[in-house]
Amino acid sequence: MSVTKPKHLMLSVRVPSEDLSYPIRVGDGLLDRLGEEVVAAQDGAKRIALITDDNVVKLYGDRAVAALEAQGLAVSVHVLPAGERTKTPENLVALVTELVKAGLSRRDLVVTLGGGVVGDIGGLAAAMFMRGIGVVQCPTSLLAQVDASVGGKVAVDLGPGKNLLGAFHFPAAVVIDTAVLSTLAAEELACGLGEMVKHGLLFDPEHLADLTRNADAIFAREPKTLARLVAHSVALKAACVSRDPLERGSSGKGRVALNLGHTIGHAIEHASNYGVRHGEAVAIGIQAAARLSEARGLAAPGFESRVRVMLESLRLGTELDMWLVGERGAAVRRALSHDKKRLGSKITYIALADVGEPSTLSLSVDEILRLLRPQSGD
Ligand SMILES: NC(=O)c1ccc[n+]([C@@H]2O[C@H](COP(=O)([O-])OP(=O)(O)OC[C@H]3O[C@@H](n4cnc5c(N)ncnc54)[C@H](O)[C@@H]3O)[C@@H](O)[C@H]2O)c1
């Protein structure tokens, strides 16, 4: 008797490519138009879960709810404690459970109102609830407006590190009201400025010049200037994520370039036990990238000093040398070595040949620290 071998059947499923584009509106006073923007983003939504934090809700909660209700939407408000410690898996599950209790359906929407913390955990809750419902991001810190809300990355933190549990979940729309920056603390403004400088250095010398020319207007929260500069910075980030939406590229002007300033920046955050804020650490990391690029002969002599003058004119810290010597230097080395262990034998380091000319290097920790050797003083 002959036995026929089972044949394995091979089938493939084709998924038509989706249009992942979404509108980003930037303007002075847009919060009062949030309802219209939400309806335009997803016609047919009836319920909105407004996710915010306990600082922002006091300042802008009522206006956001009024704008949504004016369009006939039923709003439930979910308030999280402000701060990075909120981004936990436990809070994520609790939030998704609240969405169930609020009676949201697949056609309804999450709206996040707050800084990057609220955008990240609220966006991830939207991505997880019923396998994903739409989210409209309404960022209120400068960092969230120019960086976190654009690009679709959402996440919470795990014990071993930040943003380790996350997803790409592109928003249905991003609504940026630059008028809300009037209540943002100066240190938080500086954090966002660090990222704006990064966008200018990577992609556009004119944006950089515009920022430094307008430092006083920025710190005075001059509405028209802020709206123009934020829109420009967002456009630069949006163009970058459009070239490489899922961060697949390993060099060039794709998403990897957005790590400019982040290698040393993360190490300083870690070495300071998070006493130095992310944006401030990134600014020092940007100075480091300029020094390393010059020391390696990639950028022309004087590049570091050009970048330093520009950072200082925007009131951003340039205390790089302090982080390269003594106990602090040892802690930075340990943090970099930990990064290297996680990522393989070499670190991908974003350097600059000039403003607008990023370059991806692969360097060991020793090579990085040798190139960054403290300056003897000038
Ligand atoms: N998803 C991404 O692509 C991305 C990119 C960069 C950063 N992030 C994440 O973003 C987070 C940092 O974001 P952040 O700096 O906005 O922090 P945050 O959300 O903690 O906000 C900073 C502080 O400002 C307050 N605040 C926000 N808007 C305000 C306003 N208009 N007036 C007064 N106070 C206001 C907040 O309550 C908070 O106390 C981090 O968790 C980081 O991992 C995500």
mmCIF file of all heavy atoms in Angstrom, residues 201-237:
data_model
loop_
_atom_site.group_PDB
_atom_site.id
_atom_site.type_symbol
_atom_site.label_atom_id
_atom_site.label_comp_id
_atom_site.label_asym_id
_atom_site.label_seq_id
_atom_site.Cartn_x
_atom_site.Cartn_y
_atom_site.Cartn_z
ATOM 1 N N LEU A 201 19.634 71.629 12.711
ATOM 2 C CA LEU A 201 21.001 71.154 12.432
ATOM 3 C C LEU A 201 21.000 70.004 11.423
ATOM 4 O O LEU A 201 21.878 69.898 10.580
ATOM 5 C CB LEU A 201 21.646 70.649 13.729
ATOM 6 C CG LEU A 201 22.328 71.702 14.600
ATOM 7 C CD1 LEU A 201 22.687 71.108 15.951
ATOM 8 C CD2 LEU A 201 23.594 72.239 13.918
ATOM 9 N N LEU A 202 20.012 69.151 11.530
ATOM 10 C CA LEU A 202 19.975 67.986 10.637
ATOM 11 C C LEU A 202 19.522 68.340 9.230
ATOM 12 O O LEU A 202 20.043 67.803 8.249
ATOM 13 C CB LEU A 202 19.001 66.929 11.183
ATOM 14 C CG LEU A 202 19.440 66.124 12.385
ATOM 15 C CD1 LEU A 202 18.268 65.299 12.926
ATOM 16 C CD2 LEU A 202 20.597 65.190 12.002
ATOM 17 N N PHE A 203 18.523 69.237 9.153
ATOM 18 C CA PHE A 203 17.835 69.342 7.869
ATOM 19 C C PHE A 203 17.774 70.740 7.260
ATOM 20 O O PHE A 203 17.459 70.851 6.077
ATOM 21 C CB PHE A 203 16.375 68.839 8.011
ATOM 22 C CG PHE A 203 16.246 67.471 8.628
ATOM 23 C CD1 PHE A 203 15.465 67.268 9.762
ATOM 24 C CD2 PHE A 203 16.894 66.379 8.076
ATOM 25 C CE1 PHE A 203 15.340 66.009 10.329
ATOM 26 C CE2 PHE A 203 16.764 65.115 8.637
ATOM 27 C CZ PHE A 203 15.993 64.925 9.772
ATOM 28 N N ASP A 204 18.013 71.810 8.053
ATOM 29 C CA ASP A 204 17.696 73.120 7.481
ATOM 30 C C ASP A 204 18.409 74.286 8.176
ATOM 31 O O ASP A 204 17.961 74.751 9.231
ATOM 32 C CB ASP A 204 16.166 73.322 7.564
ATOM 33 C CG ASP A 204 15.720 74.578 6.849
ATOM 34 O OD1 ASP A 204 16.576 75.323 6.336
ATOM 35 O OD2 ASP A 204 14.498 74.825 6.809
ATOM 36 N N PRO A 205 19.486 74.791 7.580
ATOM 37 C CA PRO A 205 20.221 75.904 8.186
ATOM 38 C C PRO A 205 19.328 77.127 8.425
ATOM 39 O O PRO A 205 19.506 77.842 9.413
ATOM 40 C CB PRO A 205 21.296 76.244 7.145
ATOM 41 C CG PRO A 205 21.360 75.080 6.213
ATOM 42 C CD PRO A 205 20.069 74.325 6.317
ATOM 43 N N GLU A 206 18.362 77.367 7.541
ATOM 44 C CA GLU A 206 17.517 78.566 7.674
ATOM 45 C C GLU A 206 16.668 78.489 8.953
ATOM 46 O O GLU A 206 16.472 79.484 9.653
ATOM 47 C CB GLU A 206 16.649 78.710 6.411
ATOM 48 C CG GLU A 206 15.765 79.952 6.367
ATOM 49 C CD GLU A 206 16.406 81.238 6.921
ATOM 50 O OE1 GLU A 206 17.590 81.529 6.609
ATOM 51 O OE2 GLU A 206 15.718 81.929 7.697
ATOM 52 N N HIS A 207 16.195 77.277 9.281
ATOM 53 C CA HIS A 207 15.396 77.103 10.506
ATOM 54 C C HIS A 207 16.245 77.426 11.740
ATOM 55 O O HIS A 207 15.785 78.092 12.667
ATOM 56 C CB HIS A 207 14.873 75.666 10.582
ATOM 57 C CG HIS A 207 13.988 75.398 11.766
ATOM 58 N ND1 HIS A 207 12.942 76.222 12.117
ATOM 59 C CD2 HIS A 207 14.002 74.412 12.699
ATOM 60 C CE1 HIS A 207 12.340 75.744 13.208
ATOM 61 N NE2 HIS A 207 12.976 74.658 13.579
ATOM 62 N N LEU A 208 17.480 76.980 11.675
ATOM 63 C CA LEU A 208 18.402 77.224 12.786
ATOM 64 C C LEU A 208 18.629 78.724 12.984
ATOM 65 O O LEU A 208 18.573 79.245 14.098
ATOM 66 C CB LEU A 208 19.725 76.539 12.420
ATOM 67 C CG LEU A 208 20.614 76.092 13.528
ATOM 68 C CD1 LEU A 208 19.874 75.218 14.507
ATOM 69 C CD2 LEU A 208 21.790 75.317 12.928
ATOM 70 N N ALA A 209 18.853 79.422 11.881
ATOM 71 C CA ALA A 209 19.094 80.864 11.949
ATOM 72 C C ALA A 209 17.845 81.570 12.477
ATOM 73 O O ALA A 209 17.936 82.487 13.304
ATOM 74 C CB ALA A 209 19.458 81.380 10.556
ATOM 75 N N ASP A 210 16.674 81.111 12.038
ATOM 76 C CA ASP A 210 15.410 81.696 12.468
ATOM 77 C C ASP A 210 15.241 81.534 13.985
ATOM 78 O O ASP A 210 14.796 82.451 14.685
ATOM 79 C CB ASP A 210 14.282 80.953 11.720
ATOM 80 C CG ASP A 210 13.048 81.812 11.551
ATOM 81 O OD1 ASP A 210 13.082 82.977 11.946
ATOM 82 O OD2 ASP A 210 12.031 81.284 11.030
ATOM 83 N N LEU A 211 15.610 80.360 14.502
ATOM 84 C CA LEU A 211 15.496 80.104 15.946
ATOM 85 C C LEU A 211 16.393 81.053 16.738
ATOM 86 O O LEU A 211 15.959 81.684 17.699
ATOM 87 C CB LEU A 211 15.898 78.658 16.269
ATOM 88 C CG LEU A 211 14.903 77.558 15.911
ATOM 89 C CD1 LEU A 211 15.551 76.185 16.076
ATOM 90 C CD2 LEU A 211 13.665 77.647 16.800
ATOM 91 N N THR A 212 17.660 81.143 16.336
ATOM 92 C CA THR A 212 18.596 81.952 17.122
ATOM 93 C C THR A 212 18.235 83.438 17.038
ATOM 94 O O THR A 212 18.325 84.153 18.020
ATOM 95 C CB THR A 212 20.063 81.723 16.686
ATOM 96 O OG1 THR A 212 20.122 81.796 15.280
ATOM 97 C CG2 THR A 212 20.579 80.383 17.129
ATOM 98 N N ARG A 213 17.789 83.872 15.859
ATOM 99 C CA ARG A 213 17.372 85.268 15.703
ATOM 100 C C ARG A 213 16.205 85.618 16.635
ATOM 101 O O ARG A 213 16.059 86.735 17.072
ATOM 102 C CB ARG A 213 16.884 85.488 14.260
ATOM 103 C CG ARG A 213 17.861 86.172 13.343
ATOM 104 C CD ARG A 213 17.163 86.719 12.091
ATOM 105 N NE ARG A 213 16.197 85.850 11.464
ATOM 106 C CZ ARG A 213 16.467 84.967 10.507
ATOM 107 N NH1 ARG A 213 17.704 84.806 10.071
ATOM 108 N NH2 ARG A 213 15.521 84.232 9.974
ATOM 109 N N ASN A 214 15.380 84.611 16.943
ATOM 110 C CA ASN A 214 14.134 84.891 17.667
ATOM 111 C C ASN A 214 14.130 84.383 19.101
ATOM 112 O O ASN A 214 13.052 84.194 19.690
ATOM 113 C CB ASN A 214 12.964 84.278 16.898
ATOM 114 C CG ASN A 214 12.651 85.079 15.655
ATOM 115 O OD1 ASN A 214 12.169 86.204 15.755
ATOM 116 N ND2 ASN A 214 12.967 84.533 14.496
ATOM 117 N N ALA A 215 15.332 84.187 19.675
ATOM 118 C CA ALA A 215 15.396 83.622 21.028
ATOM 119 C C ALA A 215 14.530 84.412 22.017
ATOM 120 O O ALA A 215 13.764 83.841 22.792
ATOM 121 C CB ALA A 215 16.847 83.565 21.496
ATOM 122 N N ASP A 216 14.627 85.756 21.964
ATOM 123 C CA ASP A 216 13.872 86.552 22.936
ATOM 124 C C ASP A 216 12.364 86.385 22.743
ATOM 125 O O ASP A 216 11.616 86.242 23.711
ATOM 126 C CB ASP A 216 14.243 88.045 22.825
ATOM 127 C CG ASP A 216 15.654 88.283 23.347
ATOM 128 O OD1 ASP A 216 16.147 87.413 24.099
ATOM 129 O OD2 ASP A 216 16.255 89.311 22.991
ATOM 130 N N ALA A 217 11.929 86.387 21.492
ATOM 131 C CA ALA A 217 10.492 86.230 21.205
ATOM 132 C C ALA A 217 10.000 84.853 21.666
ATOM 133 O O ALA A 217 8.874 84.705 22.151
ATOM 134 C CB ALA A 217 10.238 86.414 19.717
ATOM 135 N N ILE A 218 10.864 83.848 21.540
ATOM 136 C CA ILE A 218 10.469 82.490 21.962
ATOM 137 C C ILE A 218 10.242 82.479 23.472
ATOM 138 O O ILE A 218 9.206 82.012 23.956
ATOM 139 C CB ILE A 218 11.559 81.455 21.591
ATOM 140 C CG1 ILE A 218 11.666 81.327 20.064
ATOM 141 C CG2 ILE A 218 11.263 80.094 22.224
ATOM 142 C CD1 ILE A 218 12.868 80.537 19.591
ATOM 143 N N PHE A 219 11.207 83.032 24.226
ATOM 144 C CA PHE A 219 11.061 82.987 25.684
ATOM 145 C C PHE A 219 9.967 83.933 26.177
ATOM 146 O O PHE A 219 9.402 83.724 27.246
ATOM 147 C CB PHE A 219 12.409 83.234 26.374
ATOM 148 C CG PHE A 219 13.266 81.994 26.317
ATOM 149 C CD1 PHE A 219 14.214 81.811 25.321
ATOM 150 C CD2 PHE A 219 13.066 80.967 27.232
ATOM 151 C CE1 PHE A 219 14.973 80.643 25.250
ATOM 152 C CE2 PHE A 219 13.816 79.792 27.173
ATOM 153 C CZ PHE A 219 14.774 79.632 26.190
ATOM 154 N N ALA A 220 9.615 84.938 25.361
ATOM 155 C CA ALA A 220 8.490 85.810 25.716
ATOM 156 C C ALA A 220 7.171 85.168 25.270
ATOM 157 O O ALA A 220 6.103 85.770 25.445
ATOM 158 C CB ALA A 220 8.657 87.168 25.055
ATOM 159 N N ARG A 221 7.264 83.956 24.685
ATOM 160 C CA ARG A 221 6.078 83.209 24.173
ATOM 161 C C ARG A 221 5.266 84.084 23.203
ATOM 162 O O ARG A 221 4.048 84.152 23.293
ATOM 163 C CB ARG A 221 5.137 82.718 25.291
ATOM 164 C CG ARG A 221 5.794 82.314 26.579
ATOM 165 C CD ARG A 221 6.501 81.003 26.426
ATOM 166 N NE ARG A 221 7.508 80.870 27.469
ATOM 167 C CZ ARG A 221 7.336 80.287 28.620
ATOM 168 N NH1 ARG A 221 6.217 79.710 28.879
ATOM 169 N NH2 ARG A 221 8.299 80.228 29.489
ATOM 170 N N GLU A 222 5.955 84.754 22.315
ATOM 171 C CA GLU A 222 5.279 85.606 21.333
ATOM 172 C C GLU A 222 4.499 84.690 20.372
ATOM 173 O O GLU A 222 5.110 83.876 19.661
ATOM 174 C CB GLU A 222 6.371 86.398 20.607
ATOM 175 C CG GLU A 222 5.974 87.774 20.163
ATOM 176 C CD GLU A 222 5.295 87.714 18.826
ATOM 177 O OE1 GLU A 222 5.941 87.330 17.838
ATOM 178 O OE2 GLU A 222 4.096 88.023 18.794
ATOM 179 N N PRO A 223 3.134 84.762 20.393
ATOM 180 C CA PRO A 223 2.324 83.733 19.729
ATOM 181 C C PRO A 223 2.625 83.523 18.239
ATOM 182 O O PRO A 223 2.763 82.387 17.792
ATOM 183 C CB PRO A 223 0.880 84.192 19.929
ATOM 184 C CG PRO A 223 0.919 85.269 20.937
ATOM 185 C CD PRO A 223 2.308 85.799 21.026
ATOM 186 N N LYS A 224 2.745 84.617 17.484
ATOM 187 C CA LYS A 224 2.933 84.463 16.025
ATOM 188 C C LYS A 224 4.274 83.802 15.728
ATOM 189 O O LYS A 224 4.386 82.931 14.871
ATOM 190 C CB LYS A 224 2.863 85.829 15.333
ATOM 191 C CG LYS A 224 1.453 86.308 15.172
ATOM 192 C CD LYS A 224 1.317 87.201 13.920
ATOM 193 C CE LYS A 224 -0.127 87.481 13.614
ATOM 194 N NZ LYS A 224 -0.833 88.192 14.701
ATOM 195 N N THR A 225 5.309 84.247 16.463
ATOM 196 C CA THR A 225 6.647 83.682 16.234
ATOM 197 C C THR A 225 6.644 82.201 16.576
ATOM 198 O O THR A 225 7.176 81.370 15.823
ATOM 199 C CB THR A 225 7.684 84.417 17.119
ATOM 200 O OG1 THR A 225 7.531 85.799 16.895
ATOM 201 C CG2 THR A 225 9.091 83.972 16.822
ATOM 202 N N LEU A 226 6.034 81.865 17.726
ATOM 203 C CA LEU A 226 6.012 80.457 18.132
ATOM 204 C C LEU A 226 5.274 79.598 17.100
ATOM 205 O O LEU A 226 5.742 78.517 16.735
ATOM 206 C CB LEU A 226 5.341 80.303 19.499
ATOM 207 C CG LEU A 226 6.234 80.572 20.708
ATOM 208 C CD1 LEU A 226 5.429 80.508 21.985
ATOM 209 C CD2 LEU A 226 7.400 79.581 20.770
ATOM 210 N N ALA A 227 4.133 80.090 16.622
ATOM 211 C CA ALA A 227 3.353 79.302 15.666
ATOM 212 C C ALA A 227 4.188 79.032 14.407
ATOM 213 O O ALA A 227 4.225 77.915 13.886
ATOM 214 C CB ALA A 227 2.053 80.017 15.314
ATOM 215 N N ARG A 228 4.884 80.065 13.927
ATOM 216 C CA ARG A 228 5.682 79.899 12.698
ATOM 217 C C ARG A 228 6.839 78.920 12.925
ATOM 218 O O ARG A 228 7.066 78.003 12.131
ATOM 219 C CB ARG A 228 6.217 81.270 12.262
ATOM 220 C CG ARG A 228 7.111 81.236 11.040
ATOM 221 C CD ARG A 228 7.406 82.641 10.537
ATOM 222 N NE ARG A 228 7.965 83.522 11.545
ATOM 223 C CZ ARG A 228 9.224 83.473 11.974
ATOM 224 N NH1 ARG A 228 10.057 82.584 11.473
ATOM 225 N NH2 ARG A 228 9.659 84.303 12.900
ATOM 226 N N LEU A 229 7.551 79.090 14.043
ATOM 227 C CA LEU A 229 8.722 78.242 14.283
ATOM 228 C C LEU A 229 8.322 76.792 14.557
ATOM 229 O O LEU A 229 8.975 75.849 14.093
ATOM 230 C CB LEU A 229 9.544 78.797 15.455
ATOM 231 C CG LEU A 229 10.241 80.132 15.187
ATOM 232 C CD1 LEU A 229 10.818 80.702 16.476
ATOM 233 C CD2 LEU A 229 11.355 79.959 14.150
ATOM 234 N N VAL A 230 7.241 76.620 15.334
ATOM 235 C CA VAL A 230 6.775 75.249 15.620
ATOM 236 C C VAL A 230 6.357 74.576 14.306
ATOM 237 O O VAL A 230 6.726 73.431 14.039
ATOM 238 C CB VAL A 230 5.611 75.258 16.648
ATOM 239 C CG1 VAL A 230 4.910 73.909 16.697
ATOM 240 C CG2 VAL A 230 6.143 75.628 18.038
ATOM 241 N N ALA A 231 5.614 75.309 13.473
ATOM 242 C CA ALA A 231 5.156 74.719 12.204
ATOM 243 C C ALA A 231 6.349 74.291 11.353
ATOM 244 O O ALA A 231 6.355 73.210 10.755
ATOM 245 C CB ALA A 231 4.292 75.723 11.443
ATOM 246 N N HIS A 232 7.388 75.125 11.319
ATOM 247 C CA HIS A 232 8.568 74.801 10.508
ATOM 248 C C HIS A 232 9.274 73.541 11.038
ATOM 249 O O HIS A 232 9.646 72.638 10.291
ATOM 250 C CB HIS A 232 9.519 76.006 10.500
ATOM 251 C CG HIS A 232 10.567 75.924 9.435
ATOM 252 N ND1 HIS A 232 11.285 76.995 9.005
ATOM 253 C CD2 HIS A 232 11.041 74.877 8.707
ATOM 254 C CE1 HIS A 232 12.133 76.624 8.069
ATOM 255 N NE2 HIS A 232 12.013 75.349 7.886
ATOM 256 N N SER A 233 9.404 73.494 12.374
ATOM 257 C CA SER A 233 10.087 72.350 12.977
ATOM 258 C C SER A 233 9.303 71.056 12.748
ATOM 259 O O SER A 233 9.866 70.003 12.436
ATOM 260 C CB SER A 233 10.263 72.608 14.485
ATOM 261 O OG SER A 233 11.404 71.978 14.960
ATOM 262 N N VAL A 234 7.973 71.155 12.910
ATOM 263 C CA VAL A 234 7.116 69.987 12.681
ATOM 264 C C VAL A 234 7.232 69.528 11.225
ATOM 265 O O VAL A 234 7.304 68.333 10.940
ATOM 266 C CB VAL A 234 5.636 70.327 13.013
ATOM 267 C CG1 VAL A 234 4.705 69.245 12.521
ATOM 268 C CG2 VAL A 234 5.469 70.521 14.519
ATOM 269 N N ALA A 235 7.281 70.503 10.299
ATOM 270 C CA ALA A 235 7.381 70.139 8.877
ATOM 271 C C ALA A 235 8.677 69.359 8.627
ATOM 272 O O ALA A 235 8.694 68.395 7.856
ATOM 273 C CB ALA A 235 7.331 71.393 8.011
ATOM 274 N N LEU A 236 9.761 69.769 9.291
ATOM 275 C CA LEU A 236 11.039 69.073 9.092
ATOM 276 C C LEU A 236 10.967 67.650 9.649
ATOM 277 O O LEU A 236 11.429 66.692 9.024
ATOM 278 C CB LEU A 236 12.187 69.847 9.767
ATOM 279 C CG LEU A 236 12.505 71.214 9.155
ATOM 280 C CD1 LEU A 236 13.515 71.965 10.012
ATOM 281 C CD2 LEU A 236 13.042 71.063 7.730
ATOM 282 N N LYS A 237 10.358 67.502 10.849
ATOM 283 C CA LYS A 237 10.245 66.147 11.402
ATOM 284 C C LYS A 237 9.298 65.306 10.542
ATOM 285 O O LYS A 237 9.544 64.126 10.284
ATOM 286 C CB LYS A 237 9.763 66.168 12.856
ATOM 287 C CG LYS A 237 9.468 64.731 13.326
ATOM 288 C CD LYS A 237 9.699 64.383 14.739
ATOM 289 C CE LYS A 237 9.469 62.875 14.922
ATOM 290 N NZ LYS A 237 9.351 62.426 16.279
#
